mmCIF file of all heavy atoms in Angstrom:
data_model
loop_
_atom_site.group_PDB
_atom_site.id
_atom_site.type_symbol
_atom_site.label_atom_id
_atom_site.label_comp_id
_atom_site.label_asym_id
_atom_site.label_seq_id
_atom_site.Cartn_x
_atom_site.Cartn_y
_atom_site.Cartn_z
ATOM 1 N N ARG E 136 -4.829 2.953 -2.656
ATOM 2 C CA ARG E 136 -5.977 3.836 -2.543
ATOM 3 C C ARG E 136 -5.950 4.866 -3.664
ATOM 4 O O ARG E 136 -4.911 5.190 -4.210
ATOM 5 C CB ARG E 136 -6.008 4.538 -1.183
ATOM 6 C CG ARG E 136 -4.858 5.498 -0.926
ATOM 7 C CD ARG E 136 -4.896 6.004 0.513
ATOM 8 N NE ARG E 136 -3.862 6.977 0.783
ATOM 9 C CZ ARG E 136 -3.601 7.483 1.985
ATOM 10 N NH1 ARG E 136 -4.321 7.089 3.047
ATOM 11 N NH2 ARG E 136 -2.630 8.372 2.137
ATOM 12 N N GLN E 137 -7.131 5.370 -3.984
ATOM 13 C CA GLN E 137 -7.247 6.362 -5.032
ATOM 14 C C GLN E 137 -8.299 7.399 -4.658
ATOM 15 O O GLN E 137 -9.462 7.067 -4.469
ATOM 16 C CB GLN E 137 -7.599 5.712 -6.367
ATOM 17 C CG GLN E 137 -7.549 6.660 -7.547
ATOM 18 C CD GLN E 137 -7.554 5.929 -8.876
ATOM 19 O OE1 GLN E 137 -8.062 4.818 -8.984
ATOM 20 N NE2 GLN E 137 -6.989 6.553 -9.894
ATOM 21 N N ALA E 138 -7.864 8.638 -4.544
ATOM 22 C CA ALA E 138 -8.759 9.747 -4.258
ATOM 23 C C ALA E 138 -9.228 10.353 -5.578
ATOM 24 O O ALA E 138 -8.550 10.210 -6.602
ATOM 25 C CB ALA E 138 -8.045 10.793 -3.416
ATOM 26 N N PRO E 139 -10.371 11.042 -5.580
ATOM 27 C CA PRO E 139 -10.877 11.646 -6.812
ATOM 28 C C PRO E 139 -9.851 12.573 -7.461
ATOM 29 O O PRO E 139 -9.269 13.422 -6.790
ATOM 30 C CB PRO E 139 -12.099 12.435 -6.342
ATOM 31 C CG PRO E 139 -12.561 11.693 -5.134
ATOM 32 C CD PRO E 139 -11.296 11.250 -4.450
ATOM 33 N N GLY E 140 -9.624 12.383 -8.744
ATOM 34 C CA GLY E 140 -8.691 13.227 -9.472
ATOM 35 C C GLY E 140 -7.230 12.909 -9.248
ATOM 36 O O GLY E 140 -6.363 13.608 -9.783
ATOM 37 N N LYS E 141 -6.940 11.879 -8.472
ATOM 38 C CA LYS E 141 -5.558 11.520 -8.193
ATOM 39 C C LYS E 141 -5.231 10.122 -8.707
ATOM 40 O O LYS E 141 -6.118 9.328 -8.986
ATOM 41 C CB LYS E 141 -5.274 11.590 -6.693
ATOM 42 C CG LYS E 141 -5.281 12.993 -6.123
ATOM 43 C CD LYS E 141 -4.745 13.001 -4.701
ATOM 44 C CE LYS E 141 -4.570 14.402 -4.174
ATOM 45 N NZ LYS E 141 -3.969 14.403 -2.812
ATOM 46 N N GLU E 142 -3.959 9.861 -8.819
ATOM 47 C CA GLU E 142 -3.502 8.546 -9.248
ATOM 48 C C GLU E 142 -3.594 7.553 -8.105
ATOM 49 O O GLU E 142 -3.592 7.929 -6.940
ATOM 50 C CB GLU E 142 -2.049 8.624 -9.738
ATOM 51 C CG GLU E 142 -1.858 9.468 -10.980
ATOM 52 C CD GLU E 142 -0.409 9.515 -11.439
ATOM 53 O OE1 GLU E 142 0.466 8.964 -10.726
ATOM 54 O OE2 GLU E 142 -0.155 10.082 -12.503
ATOM 55 N N ARG E 143 -3.687 6.297 -8.459
ATOM 56 C CA ARG E 143 -3.701 5.255 -7.457
ATOM 57 C C ARG E 143 -2.342 5.211 -6.757
ATOM 58 O O ARG E 143 -1.303 5.218 -7.419
ATOM 59 C CB ARG E 143 -4.011 3.906 -8.101
ATOM 60 C CG ARG E 143 -4.250 2.778 -7.113
ATOM 61 C CD ARG E 143 -4.886 1.574 -7.794
ATOM 62 N NE ARG E 143 -6.197 1.906 -8.347
ATOM 63 C CZ ARG E 143 -7.033 1.020 -8.868
ATOM 64 N NH1 ARG E 143 -6.695 -0.267 -8.913
ATOM 65 N NH2 ARG E 143 -8.198 1.412 -9.357
ATOM 66 N N GLU E 144 -2.363 5.169 -5.430
ATOM 67 C CA GLU E 144 -1.121 5.172 -4.686
ATOM 68 C C GLU E 144 -1.005 3.983 -3.740
ATOM 69 O O GLU E 144 -1.994 3.464 -3.229
ATOM 70 C CB GLU E 144 -0.951 6.478 -3.905
ATOM 71 C CG GLU E 144 -1.945 6.674 -2.781
ATOM 72 C CD GLU E 144 -1.635 7.885 -1.917
ATOM 73 O OE1 GLU E 144 -0.459 8.255 -1.797
ATOM 74 O OE2 GLU E 144 -2.594 8.464 -1.358
ATOM 75 N N PHE E 145 0.218 3.597 -3.512
ATOM 76 C CA PHE E 145 0.535 2.492 -2.632
ATOM 77 C C PHE E 145 0.266 2.852 -1.181
ATOM 78 O O PHE E 145 0.588 3.949 -0.738
ATOM 79 C CB PHE E 145 2.007 2.115 -2.811
ATOM 80 C CG PHE E 145 2.511 1.094 -1.838
ATOM 81 C CD1 PHE E 145 2.217 -0.249 -1.997
ATOM 82 C CD2 PHE E 145 3.295 1.481 -0.766
ATOM 83 C CE1 PHE E 145 2.687 -1.198 -1.107
ATOM 84 C CE2 PHE E 145 3.778 0.552 0.135
ATOM 85 C CZ PHE E 145 3.468 -0.800 -0.041
ATOM 86 N N VAL E 146 -0.312 1.918 -0.438
ATOM 87 C CA VAL E 146 -0.555 2.098 0.990
ATOM 88 C C VAL E 146 0.350 1.170 1.799
ATOM 89 O O VAL E 146 1.071 1.600 2.692
ATOM 90 C CB VAL E 146 -2.026 1.837 1.356
ATOM 91 C CG1 VAL E 146 -2.228 1.888 2.873
ATOM 92 C CG2 VAL E 146 -2.933 2.852 0.668
ATOM 93 N N GLY E 147 0.306 -0.114 1.486
ATOM 94 C CA GLY E 147 1.117 -1.085 2.188
ATOM 95 C C GLY E 147 1.041 -2.442 1.530
ATOM 96 O O GLY E 147 0.189 -2.692 0.685
ATOM 97 N N ALA E 148 1.939 -3.337 1.930
ATOM 98 C CA ALA E 148 1.963 -4.683 1.377
ATOM 99 C C ALA E 148 2.480 -5.661 2.413
ATOM 100 O O ALA E 148 3.150 -5.270 3.379
ATOM 101 C CB ALA E 148 2.825 -4.733 0.117
ATOM 102 N N ILE E 149 2.188 -6.929 2.194
ATOM 103 C CA ILE E 149 2.617 -7.978 3.105
ATOM 104 C C ILE E 149 2.920 -9.245 2.325
ATOM 105 O O ILE E 149 2.223 -9.575 1.368
ATOM 106 C CB ILE E 149 1.538 -8.238 4.188
ATOM 107 C CG1 ILE E 149 2.039 -9.207 5.267
ATOM 108 C CG2 ILE E 149 0.246 -8.756 3.548
ATOM 109 C CD1 ILE E 149 1.137 -9.277 6.488
ATOM 110 N N THR E 150 3.960 -9.962 2.720
ATOM 111 C CA THR E 150 4.234 -11.260 2.122
ATOM 112 C C THR E 150 3.386 -12.291 2.835
ATOM 113 O O THR E 150 3.243 -12.257 4.058
ATOM 114 C CB THR E 150 5.722 -11.637 2.228
ATOM 115 O OG1 THR E 150 6.119 -11.717 3.604
ATOM 116 C CG2 THR E 150 6.594 -10.607 1.513
ATOM 117 N N TRP E 151 2.798 -13.205 2.077
ATOM 118 C CA TRP E 151 1.818 -14.124 2.636
ATOM 119 C C TRP E 151 2.395 -15.106 3.640
ATOM 120 O O TRP E 151 1.769 -15.409 4.648
ATOM 121 C CB TRP E 151 1.114 -14.878 1.514
ATOM 122 C CG TRP E 151 -0.221 -15.398 1.923
ATOM 123 C CD1 TRP E 151 -0.604 -16.697 2.015
ATOM 124 C CD2 TRP E 151 -1.357 -14.615 2.310
ATOM 125 N NE1 TRP E 151 -1.903 -16.787 2.429
ATOM 126 C CE2 TRP E 151 -2.397 -15.529 2.621
ATOM 127 C CE3 TRP E 151 -1.606 -13.240 2.424
ATOM 128 C CZ2 TRP E 151 -3.660 -15.101 3.043
ATOM 129 C CZ3 TRP E 151 -2.855 -12.814 2.847
ATOM 130 C CH2 TRP E 151 -3.859 -13.740 3.142
ATOM 131 N N ILE E 152 3.567 -15.610 3.376
ATOM 132 C CA ILE E 152 4.175 -16.597 4.265
ATOM 133 C C ILE E 152 4.926 -15.952 5.422
ATOM 134 O O ILE E 152 4.666 -16.248 6.591
ATOM 135 C CB ILE E 152 5.124 -17.539 3.495
ATOM 136 C CG1 ILE E 152 4.347 -18.336 2.439
ATOM 137 C CG2 ILE E 152 5.829 -18.488 4.460
ATOM 138 C CD1 ILE E 152 3.243 -19.213 3.006
ATOM 139 N N GLY E 153 5.865 -15.083 5.119
ATOM 140 C CA GLY E 153 6.695 -14.494 6.155
ATOM 141 C C GLY E 153 6.062 -13.353 6.931
ATOM 142 O O GLY E 153 6.506 -13.026 8.031
ATOM 143 N N GLY E 154 5.043 -12.731 6.363
ATOM 144 C CA GLY E 154 4.393 -11.627 7.032
ATOM 145 C C GLY E 154 5.218 -10.348 7.071
ATOM 146 O O GLY E 154 4.993 -9.480 7.922
ATOM 147 N N VAL E 155 6.172 -10.234 6.170
ATOM 148 C CA VAL E 155 6.974 -9.019 6.084
ATOM 149 C C VAL E 155 6.117 -7.906 5.502
ATOM 150 O O VAL E 155 5.413 -8.112 4.519
ATOM 151 C CB VAL E 155 8.220 -9.232 5.207
ATOM 152 C CG1 VAL E 155 9.031 -7.950 5.091
ATOM 153 C CG2 VAL E 155 9.080 -10.349 5.773
ATOM 154 N N THR E 156 6.174 -6.747 6.117
ATOM 155 C CA THR E 156 5.337 -5.628 5.683
ATOM 156 C C THR E 156 6.152 -4.425 5.256
ATOM 157 O O THR E 156 7.298 -4.257 5.655
ATOM 158 C CB THR E 156 4.370 -5.190 6.793
ATOM 159 O OG1 THR E 156 5.117 -4.837 7.960
ATOM 160 C CG2 THR E 156 3.392 -6.300 7.140
ATOM 161 N N MET E 157 5.541 -3.585 4.454
ATOM 162 C CA MET E 157 6.091 -2.290 4.122
ATOM 163 C C MET E 157 4.926 -1.326 3.941
ATOM 164 O O MET E 157 3.829 -1.730 3.556
ATOM 165 C CB MET E 157 6.980 -2.340 2.879
ATOM 166 C CG MET E 157 6.311 -2.817 1.610
ATOM 167 S SD MET E 157 7.478 -2.743 0.206
ATOM 168 C CE MET E 157 6.522 -3.591 -1.047
ATOM 169 N N TYR E 158 5.193 -0.050 4.229
ATOM 170 C CA TYR E 158 4.144 0.953 4.204
ATOM 171 C C TYR E 158 4.598 2.230 3.528
ATOM 172 O O TYR E 158 5.783 2.563 3.526
ATOM 173 C CB TYR E 158 3.706 1.315 5.625
ATOM 174 C CG TYR E 158 3.191 0.167 6.444
ATOM 175 C CD1 TYR E 158 4.044 -0.585 7.242
ATOM 176 C CD2 TYR E 158 1.837 -0.158 6.431
ATOM 177 C CE1 TYR E 158 3.562 -1.645 8.002
ATOM 178 C CE2 TYR E 158 1.354 -1.210 7.189
ATOM 179 C CZ TYR E 158 2.217 -1.946 7.974
ATOM 180 O OH TYR E 158 1.738 -2.991 8.726
ATOM 181 N N ALA E 159 3.634 2.951 2.999
ATOM 182 C CA ALA E 159 3.913 4.285 2.500
ATOM 183 C C ALA E 159 4.219 5.182 3.695
ATOM 184 O O ALA E 159 3.672 4.986 4.783
ATOM 185 C CB ALA E 159 2.716 4.825 1.726
ATOM 186 N N ASP E 160 5.084 6.156 3.494
ATOM 187 C CA ASP E 160 5.446 7.059 4.586
ATOM 188 C C ASP E 160 4.228 7.767 5.180
ATOM 189 O O ASP E 160 4.187 8.049 6.380
ATOM 190 C CB ASP E 160 6.446 8.102 4.099
ATOM 191 C CG ASP E 160 7.818 7.521 3.838
ATOM 192 O OD1 ASP E 160 8.131 6.441 4.373
ATOM 193 O OD2 ASP E 160 8.594 8.158 3.094
ATOM 194 N N SER E 161 3.248 8.048 4.364
ATOM 195 C CA SER E 161 2.073 8.781 4.801
ATOM 196 C C SER E 161 1.205 8.023 5.805
ATOM 197 O O SER E 161 0.393 8.629 6.502
ATOM 198 C CB SER E 161 1.218 9.185 3.592
ATOM 199 O OG SER E 161 0.807 8.051 2.860
#
């Protein structure tokens, strides 16, 4: 995600096969 005036930041991700996820603390 990217808010006005801010850098693009990571939110979350998932592996397509295993479905392993990770998220930003926020």
